[in-house]
Amino acid sequence: MRLHVTPQSAGWGYSGLRVVDLRAGQQLRLDTGDAEMLVLPLAGGGCDVECDDERITLTGRRDVFARVTDFAYVPRDARLSVVSATGGRFALPSARADRRLEFRYGPAEGVPVELRGAGQASRQVNNFCAPEAFEADRLIAVEVLTPGGNWSSWPPHKHDSKRDGESELEEIYYFEVARGGPAYQRVYGSTDVCAEVRTGDVVLVPSGWHGPSMAAPGYDLYYLNVMAGPGERRWLFSDDPAHAWIRDSWAGQDVDARLPMTSTVERRQR
């Protein structure tokens, strides 16, 4: 297993993430326990996902910069099996859940692709498990693609308090960077971190302001956001007041012409 973040290891209550590399024909088996999960192909192709006596086949993708992928939702209190005929890398975002929902398929064609920001703050968000796009009990998960030289998670924002306009959510950032390059992530408030990140790295955000996520020139940036918390499943956040004016500046700028970077159609390898 490449990566395993649990609520216990993170020191919080809800959010988790596994990232696994499977060889061709290798099988991952686990019990979901009190957590709902997704199976999200990252690289290498698709897989068969079995939950109890049901099976879903995922097409997957060559890598995170190639296309939007399909995925599977797996409920709590289930026996899960993932096997890939070709091998590949797979993310399993998770959240402690109260309700047991149905095992089901998330088609790539149903993933809302959103372009946010403008100019050098332009980025693409694949809202595959956002509250308005896909039903879950607590889990929220989205993918963000940022062209090289741009900033995302900008302006800095937070979601650590239960109040008007803000929900309490623990957040995991999992990164992949094109061409093996570097990227950078800032978190501040309760702590102060500006970390260099590369493919396979994670940054945990239990509280405080987070952003920007910085894509170095020449190196496109991908990150998977996993969020969950104790309240209603809503993604509400507050901007850092010192930088909130940035949003108003986008009205006079174009979205970066390199966006969208991906769709449900496979991109030719560069």
Side-chain angles (χ1 to χ4, degrees):
M1 190 168 298
R2 175 182 287 236
L3 170 73
H4 190 191
V5 177
T6 67
Q8 293 89 343
S9 67
W12 57 32
Y14 296 92
S15 298
L17 175 65
R18 290 174 169 87
V19 177
V20 298
D21 290 313
L22 296 179
R23 300 185 303 275
Q26 184 180 7
Q27 187 176 45
L28 170 71
R29 289 182 178 272
L30 58 88
D31 292 313
T32 60
D34 64 356
E36 59 184 349
M37 294 182 181
L38 304 173
V39 178
L40 181 76
L42 297 176
C47 61
D48 288 326
V49 182
E50 292 189 7
C51 173
D52 300 330
D53 296 325
E54 298 181 76
R55 176 183 293 183
I56 289 172
T57 297
L58 301 180
T59 301
R61 53 189 165 184
R62 184 180 70 245
D63 60 53
V64 295
F65 300 104
R67 66 176 298 231
V68 177
T69 188
D70 52 359
F71 63 98
Y73 173 89
V74 183
R76 59 167 293 164
D77 301 317
R79 182 65 173 165
L80 169 65
S81 168
V82 181
V83 61
S84 174
T86 59
R89 183 163 62 253
F90 303 90
L92 283 75
S94 62
R96 281 180 170 156
D98 295 326
R99 293 184 298 149
R100 190 180 196 275
L101 304 179
E102 296 297 317
F103 176 53
R104 63 196 190 279
Y105 178 65
E109 293 75 14
V111 174
V113 174
E114 175 187 4
L115 302 186
R116 288 189 191 166
Q120 288 184 284
S122 302
R123 63 272 199 185
Q124 172 181 339
V125 184
N126 299 334
N127 289 301
F128 70 98
C129 192
E132 66 279 4
F134 193 84
E135 185 184 12
D137 185 54
R138 293 190 183 276
L139 180 61
I140 300 171
V142 303
E143 300 179 307
V144 181
L145 293 103
T146 308
N150 285 11
W151 286 17
S152 57
S153 283
W154 186 252
H157 57 279
K158 73 179 185 74
H159 38 69
D160 58 13
S161 302
K162 184 180 179 181
R163 61 180 186 176
D164 288 344
E166 188 173 332
S167 48
E168 188 177 350
L169 296 168
E170 310 152 352
E171 186 164 16
I172 301 169
Y173 279 70
Y174 165 79
F175 298 92
E176 299 208 356
V177 188
R179 302 182 182 90
Y184 300 87
Q185 177 68 45
R186 180 85 196 282
V187 180
Y188 62 97
S190 56
T191 185
D192 198 330
V193 174
C194 185
E196 180 178 306
V197 295
R198 294 178 182 266
T199 295
D201 287 339
V202 293
V203 170
L204 306 184
V205 186
S207 61
W209 309 106
H210 38 289
S213 304
M214 295 166 270
Y219 298 103
D220 295 339
L221 173 64
Y222 163 96
Y223 55 86
L224 170 64
N225 284 143
V226 181
M227 293 172 277
E232 185 180 357
R233 185 176 175 249
R234 301 179 71 193
W235 185 10
L236 303 175
F237 55 84
S238 299
D239 289 334
D240 183 340
H243 304 293
W245 66 270
I246 292 290
R247 291 190 187 275
D248 294 332
S249 73
W250 295 339
Q253 300 181 59
D254 293 330
V255 172
D256 192 313
R258 293 173 290 178
L259 294 170
M261 294 174 64
T262 63
S263 69
T264 57
V265 179
E266 181 87 3
R267 295 177 71 194
R268 284 190 297 175
Q269 199 158 8
R270 293 179 297 173

